[in-house]
């Protein structure tokens, strides 16, 4: 058993304990050891949901490795689809179930669902959501703040600052996607991309803004002593503490949007952290 930690993200990266389970159990620094010793444990629910009595029924699924199978999935309960690699889990859930329902619910024309004879019981659903491990964005500008929409509220706060009003700055001034407030040398990316031909591209900090994304005039506007870059450099935990001090509706909305990120264990990531640096599991939890 190899226990890597002690925490997540920047708080991890060390081998806390290694050896047989009985050896690891003796380690005082390992959180895993505390669970092995039963000092910490996750309560088993006294009641488990058995669903609402309704089912989604899939008949004749033939996509990829699926051999004309029939599947009955309970509604109103969490269902786990398991199997070895290549057995057809993704084909069943992503290609057959998800895409067929997506086409039915949203009348999508550019989505090509997996082969199936028929699917019954979908009428009880009004929407379907795919939470995958694919990146939340493909450019350095994509980050948890923009993806969750909390960045709009943050820019509203900065636009209401006295310094911004005196200078005539509106909400758009604090966006790194449009001209005006962003650093034009890196176009608001904060980094420059260097093409390496046969190797993955390398990103280096912009030599003009030093990775801060904005020009000097924009960074001179401060909210409670912090400029827009300082906010983006905060972790989720730090940002929740910072904005919780405010009593305005906007501050409360910011905290409300960020709280779920903290609840799923992402308090250590930065608000403005590039999506390209997030792991698959982190991308999935942000979604």
């Amino acid at each position: 058993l190899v226990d890597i930690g002690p925490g997540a993200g920047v708080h991890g990266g060390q081998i806390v304990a290694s050896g047989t389970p009985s050896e690891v159990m003796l380690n005082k620094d390992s959180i895993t050891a505390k669970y092995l010793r039963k000092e910490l444990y996750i309560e088993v629910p006294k009641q488990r949901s058995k669903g609402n009595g309704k089912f989604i029924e899939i008949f004749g699924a033939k996509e990829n490795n699926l051999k004309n199978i029939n599947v009955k999935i309970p509604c109103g309960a969490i269902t786990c689809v398991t199997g070895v690699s290549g057995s057809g889990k993704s084909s069943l859930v992503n290609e057959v179930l998800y895409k067929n329902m997506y086409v039915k619910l949203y009348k999508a024309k550019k989505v090509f669902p997996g082969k199936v004879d028929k699917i019954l019981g979908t009428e009880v659903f009004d929407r379907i959501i795919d939470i995958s491990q694919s990146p939340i964005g493909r450019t350095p500008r994509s980050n948890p703040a923009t993806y969750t929409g909390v960045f709009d509220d943050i820019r509203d706060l900065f636009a209401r600052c006295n310094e911004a009003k005196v200078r005539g700055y509106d909400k758009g001034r604090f966006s790194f996607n449009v001209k005006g407030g962003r650093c034009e040398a890196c176009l608001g990316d904060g980094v420059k991309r260097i093409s390496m031909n046969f190797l993955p591209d390398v990103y280096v900090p912009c030599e003009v803004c030093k990775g801060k994304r904005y020009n000097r005039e924009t960074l001179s506007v401060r909210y409670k002593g912090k400029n827009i870059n300082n906010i983006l450099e905060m972790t989720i935990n730090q940002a929740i503490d910072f904005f919780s001090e405010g009593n305005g509706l906007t501050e409360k909305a910011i905290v409300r949007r960020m709280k779920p990120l903290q609840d799923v264990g992402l308090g250590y990531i930065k608000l403005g952290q590039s999506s390209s640096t997030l792991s698959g599991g982190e991308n999935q939890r942000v979604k």
Side-chain angles (χ1 to χ4, degrees):
L1 179 65
V2 179
D3 184 17
I4 298 179
V10 294
H11 306 298
Q14 302 176 54
I15 295 180
V16 180
S18 65
T20 64
S22 57
E23 290 172 340
V24 172
M25 284 174 68
L26 301 175
N27 191 302
K28 296 180 180 179
D29 300 321
S30 170
I31 297 174
T32 303
K34 292 181 179 180
Y35 281 93
L36 292 174
R37 295 194 300 264
K38 308 292 187 193
E39 291 177 16
L40 296 177
Y41 53 89
I42 298 171
E43 290 279 0
V44 177
K46 293 179 180 178
Q47 273 190 317
R48 291 187 183 276
S49 173
K50 295 180 180 179
N52 53 22
K54 298 180 180 179
F55 294 86
I56 291 178
E57 296 184 79
I58 300 171
F59 296 94
K62 309 178 188 68
E63 187 70 12
N64 296 328
N65 292 335
L66 299 176
K67 304 293 193 295
N68 197 31
I69 65 169
N70 302 329
V71 181
K72 198 174 181 181
I73 302 173
C75 300
I78 294 176
T79 300
C80 178
V81 178
T82 70
V84 297
S85 179
S87 59
K89 304 182 299 294
S90 298
S91 297
L92 176 67
V93 176
N94 298 334
E95 300 301 318
V96 174
L97 178 60
Y98 173 71
K99 288 187 177 179
N100 274 283
M101 284 191 66
Y102 191 90
V103 169
K104 182 176 181 180
L105 290 170
Y106 304 119
K107 307 293 187 271
K109 294 182 179 179
K110 293 186 179 180
V111 175
F112 305 100
K115 299 171 187 172
V116 64
D117 290 342
K118 61 181 177 180
I119 301 178
L120 302 179
T122 59
E123 64 277 356
V124 298
F125 296 96
D126 57 6
R127 63 175 175 160
I128 185 167
I129 303 169
D130 175 28
I131 304 176
S132 68
Q133 290 195 354
S134 59
I136 58 175
R138 303 196 179 278
T139 70
R141 298 183 200 184
S142 302
N143 57 56
T146 56
Y147 187 84
T148 58
V150 73
F151 197 42
D152 283 339
D153 294 327
I154 292 172
R155 291 190 294 122
D156 276 333
L157 281 182
F158 274 88
R160 294 206 296 265
C161 292
N162 290 332
E163 184 71 17
K165 291 178 180 178
V166 168
R167 296 181 178 221
Y169 294 165
D170 60 8
K171 180 179 176 179
R173 178 81 191 195
F174 302 96
S175 170
F176 44 71
N177 289 319
V178 295
K179 289 183 178 180
R182 71 182 183 185
C183 169
E184 289 303 319
C186 62
L187 301 180
D189 286 344
V191 292
K192 289 285 190 74
R193 187 176 71 176
I194 300 175
S195 178
M196 301 295 285
N197 294 324
F198 299 109
L199 294 172
D201 293 342
V202 172
Y203 291 92
V204 296
C206 172
E207 67 275 7
V208 176
C209 67
K210 310 299 182 188
K212 295 182 178 179
R213 301 176 181 239
Y214 296 92
N215 56 37
R216 189 183 304 170
E217 291 76 17
T218 306
L219 293 174
S220 66
V221 178
R222 294 180 177 270
Y223 168 78
K224 291 187 177 180
K226 306 287 186 183
N227 62 36
I228 190 75
N229 178 67
N230 296 148
I231 300 295
L232 290 173
E233 285 296 307
M234 287 182 178
T235 64
I236 300 296
N237 289 336
Q238 291 171 337
I240 287 176
D241 290 341
F242 179 75
F243 288 108
S244 292
E245 296 174 0
N247 295 317
L249 292 177
T250 305
E251 287 95 333
K252 290 179 180 178
I254 291 172
V255 173
R256 188 171 61 250
R257 282 177 184 262
M258 289 192 293
K259 196 69 172 67
L261 292 174
Q262 188 181 57
D263 292 342
V264 296
L266 290 178
Y268 61 89
I269 65 172
K270 293 181 179 179
L271 269 179
Q273 187 169 334
S274 171
S275 63
S276 60
T277 66
L278 298 176
S279 70
E282 287 169 339
N283 276 297
Q284 199 166 21
R285 282 182 283 162
V286 170
K287 291 178 182 181

